[in-house]
């Protein structure tokens, strides 16, 4: 089955148009990545294709069965069971039949009567009609693979007892094995460790389904998709290859578009036509008045800003992580053991190190950087920061109570500087347009950029980064990597991002058996992550032992 998106536009009620005139096609059996800057509407576009939202203009055609996995599936804390969780991914008919069958089974088991028996027989018949027994076999395989339990044993477990990675992996296993002809996957790689990411890439490559996937993972976009669709303010453009050839194609495309002035004029005409069209429609519909005003304001702001003096730089986000000098030994660990997670190990981290903290989910990586960041993490043994070390912590989940309720501008203002300086730094991080938005209303990528901005303003010389690229768009992730090269200080980063990992120079590996070791090059580290049975060569890995 194919997916056709033709000239669609969308804006949230009472807000500006998020995107317009977006057109592309995903051919039957194709695997296509959907990319773009944070807050350009990728997740919203996926919801439109899934039928969750209706476009204001344009048409979406999906000529077959489709299943949609939202980005938040790895994060929700709803008290639902594994059964309810998997049923919610199987389509309305299967979901209703599954829950009805479970209720009938419970009622008949609690107090069997002729009436409950008839109800159970009817529910079983309905379950058979929706091919429920085949679906249940898929759920059983997913539960066995991820939880090491059959579906019958895991069905009544609360989903909150599973990690974000387990939820994602179980959902993906069920969806990829389903009879759906197309899958819409919103950041399926978030919360997955490296073996799970590699598994996902292999599954996508081997699948005959039509797949449209939003992702910021450059390895996945290089290895698992056939084409890339980029969402931009003026619509969408399609690159007929993977991320490995994307930058070259993008540069060639920009050259073909002509001078910066020509591009500015084209965009000005597009914005003008769009607002005039909406304004004409608003003349006969009061409901469109606010949308027309917003479209006109967008055009006016664009005109008032004036044309660019030169073609826009490919680098639209600029991070200046300056840092400062510190003592040579930045972190000292002696006989350190994270309670219930690791055995005792000794380790030293020194000024200028770029340390990747890697390993499977549940091995203690995040606990380690949170401990170094001063959070209360149960442990034994000793650890200490060195002289003149000022740490700064980046939180993977964007959970920042200190920023809650504050606008982006208020968060920056509390760290000093003139109003002009504050707006300039927001502009460098692509956040000027969101200056008056509260932290909670920012997209995940905008929240992540604001976290990095706060690190920059803090002057920290020890950056403790927990999955920093998870929510960053491609431009922002590469801006962060460039900033870390020039950073005067030390970096300790938990990461499952293999592209990002290759830019670091030390690799602490936390294993599920509690051992902690160090790989001496990136490729050995990645090989050990992807294959637990991999045997590193002599001189390429050592186990860190206490004493």
């Amino acid at each position: 089955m194919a997916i056709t998106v033709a000239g669609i536009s969308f804006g949230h009620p009472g807000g500006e148009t998020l995107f317009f005139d977006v057109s592309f096609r995903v051919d039957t059996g194709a695997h296509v990545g959907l990319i773009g800057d944070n807050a350009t509407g990728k997740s919203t576009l996926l919801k439109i294709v899934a039928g969750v939202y209706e476009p204001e203009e344009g048409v979406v055609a999906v000529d077959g069965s489709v299943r949609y996995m939202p980005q938040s599936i790895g994060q929700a804390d709803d008290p639902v069971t594994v059964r309810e969780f998997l049923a919610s991914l199987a389509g309305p008919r299967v979901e209703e039949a599954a829950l009805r069958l479970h209720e009938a089974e419970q009622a008949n088991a609690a107090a069997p009567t002729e009436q409950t028996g008839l109800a159970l027989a009817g529910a079983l018949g309905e379950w058979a009609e929706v091919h429920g027994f085949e679906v249940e076999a898929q759920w059983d395989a997913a539960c066995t693979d991820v939880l090491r339990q059959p579906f019958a044993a895991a069905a009544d477990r609360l989903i909150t007892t599973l990690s974000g990675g387990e939820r994602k992996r179980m959902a993906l296993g069920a969806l990829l094995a389903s009879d759906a002809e197309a899958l819409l996957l919103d950041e399926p790689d978030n919360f997955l460790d490296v073996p799970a990411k590699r598994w996902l890439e292999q599954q996508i490559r081997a699948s005959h389904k039509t797949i449209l996937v939003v992702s910021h993972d450059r390895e996945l976009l290089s290895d698992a998709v056939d084409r890339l669709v980029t969402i931009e303010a003026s619509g969408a453009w399609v690159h007929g290859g993977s991320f490995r050839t994307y930058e070259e194609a993008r540069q060639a495309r920009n050259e073909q578009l002509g001078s910066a002035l020509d591009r500015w004029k084209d965009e000005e005409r597009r914005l003008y036509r769009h607002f005039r069209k909406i304004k004409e429609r608003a003349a006969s519909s009061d409901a469109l008045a606010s949308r027309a005003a917003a479209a006109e304001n967008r055009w006016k702001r664009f005109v008032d800003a004036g044309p660019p003096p030169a073609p826009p730089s490919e680098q639209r986000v600029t991070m200046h992580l300056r840092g400062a000098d510190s003592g040579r030994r930045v972190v000292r660990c002696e006989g350190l053991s994270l309670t219930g997670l690791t055995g005792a190990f000794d380790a030293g981290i020194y000024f200028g190190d770029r340390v990747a903290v890697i390993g499977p989910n549940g091995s203690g990586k995040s606990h380690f950087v949170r401990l170094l960041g001063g959070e209360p993490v149960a442990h034994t043994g000793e650890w200490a920061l060195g002289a003149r070390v000022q740490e700064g912590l980046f939180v993977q989940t964007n959970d920042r109570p200190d920023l809650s309720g504050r606008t982006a501008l208020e968060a920056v203002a509390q760290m000093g500087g003139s109003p002009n300086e504050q707006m300039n730094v927001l502009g460098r991080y692509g956040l000027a347009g969101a200056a008056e938005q509260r932290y909670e209303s920012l997209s995940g990528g905008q929240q992540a950029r604001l976290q990095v901005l706060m690190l920059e303003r803090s002057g920290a010389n020890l950056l403790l980064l927990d999955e920093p690229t998870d929510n960053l768009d491609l431009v922002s992730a590469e801006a962060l990597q460039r900033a870390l090269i020039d950073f005067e200080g030390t970096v300790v980063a938990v990461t499952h991002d293999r592209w990002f990992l290759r830019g670091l120079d030390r690799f602490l590996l936390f294993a599920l058996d509690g051992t902690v070791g160090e790989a001496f090059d990136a490729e050995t580290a990645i090989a050990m992550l992807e294959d637990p049975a991999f045997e590193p060569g002599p001189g390429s890995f050592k186990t860190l032992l206490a004493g």
Side-chain angles (χ1 to χ4, degrees), residues 97-365:
L99 301 182
R100 203 152 26 236
L101 175 59
H102 181 54
E103 291 173 1
E105 287 174 335
Q106 286 185 310
N108 192 62
T113 65
E114 182 179 355
Q115 185 177 359
T116 61
L118 288 172
L120 178 56
L124 285 167
E126 183 182 2
W127 188 233
E129 286 179 9
V130 298
H131 305 288
F133 295 106
E134 292 90 335
V135 172
E136 193 167 333
Q138 296 159 5
W139 295 351
D140 187 72
C143 289
T144 301
D145 182 39
V146 178
L147 305 179
R148 300 296 183 262
Q149 285 182 299
F151 174 70
D156 293 322
R157 281 183 62 177
L158 288 177
I159 202 71
T160 49
T161 66
L162 278 59
S163 70
E166 287 174 327
R167 300 179 207 182
K168 278 278 178 87
R169 176 72 184 267
M170 191 166 61
L172 287 164
L175 288 169
L176 287 160
S178 73
D179 62 357
E181 296 168 281
L183 298 180
L184 308 173
L185 308 177
D186 194 354
E187 300 204 23
D189 48 274
N190 278 9
F191 294 97
L192 297 184
D193 55 22
V194 170
K197 285 174 182 277
R198 178 60 73 191
W199 168 86
L200 175 60
E201 292 161 7
Q202 293 168 346
Q203 291 294 311
I204 291 176
R205 283 200 304 269
S207 177
H208 297 295
K209 299 180 188 297
T210 303
I211 298 176
L212 180 60
V213 53
V214 173
S215 178
H216 299 139
D217 189 294
R218 289 163 286 185
E219 291 279 339
L220 184 148
L221 295 172
S222 296
D223 294 340
V225 302
D226 312 308
R227 290 189 298 162
L228 293 171
V229 175
T230 303
I231 305 302
E232 295 179 325
S234 58
W237 70 278
V238 179
H239 168 52
S242 75
F243 186 72
R244 295 195 187 280
T245 55
Y246 178 76
E247 286 304 318
E248 182 180 343
R250 186 177 182 84
Q251 290 175 9
R253 175 179 181 270
N254 286 343
E255 291 172 4
Q256 291 171 359
L257 288 174
S259 69
L261 180 60
D262 289 339
R263 288 197 297 277
W264 185 87
K265 288 180 178 178
D266 288 343
E267 188 67 359
E268 187 274 332
R269 285 193 292 268
R270 178 184 287 274
L271 291 170
Y272 179 80
R273 289 196 299 267
H274 177 66
F275 108 70
R276 292 298 304 173
K277 183 177 181 180
I278 297 293
K279 198 165 187 176
E280 289 170 6
R281 291 170 56 195
S284 58
S285 172
D286 292 340
L288 290 175
S290 62
R291 183 60 47 71
E296 184 173 6
N297 287 336
R298 183 183 183 187
W299 169 72
K300 286 181 177 178
R301 286 198 304 272
F302 186 87
V303 171
D304 289 343
S313 169
E314 289 298 304
Q315 175 60 19
R316 288 164 290 176
V317 175
T318 305
M319 303 176 179
H320 294 157
L321 295 168
R322 296 179 180 85
D325 193 14
S326 73
R328 180 175 179 272
R329 185 157 65 176
V330 174
V331 177
R332 173 181 60 83
C333 301
E334 293 184 0
L336 178 63
S337 173
L338 304 178
T339 305
L341 293 168
T342 75
F345 66 95
D346 294 343
I349 297 173
Y350 301 91
F351 181 76
D353 281 350
R354 302 295 191 261
V355 182
V357 181
I358 58 178
N361 288 332
S363 59
K365 305 182 302 299

Side-chain angles (χ1 to χ4, degrees), residues 20-54:
F20 61 94
D21 196 23
V22 171
S23 301
F24 62 90
R25 177 180 170 84
V26 182
D27 293 327
T28 300
H31 305 148
V32 175
L34 185 62
I35 63 176
D37 295 343
N38 292 135
T40 53
K42 301 182 297 295
S43 293
T44 298
L45 179 57
L46 216 62
K47 289 178 180 178
I48 291 173
V49 178
V52 178
Y53 294 158
E54 288 290 330

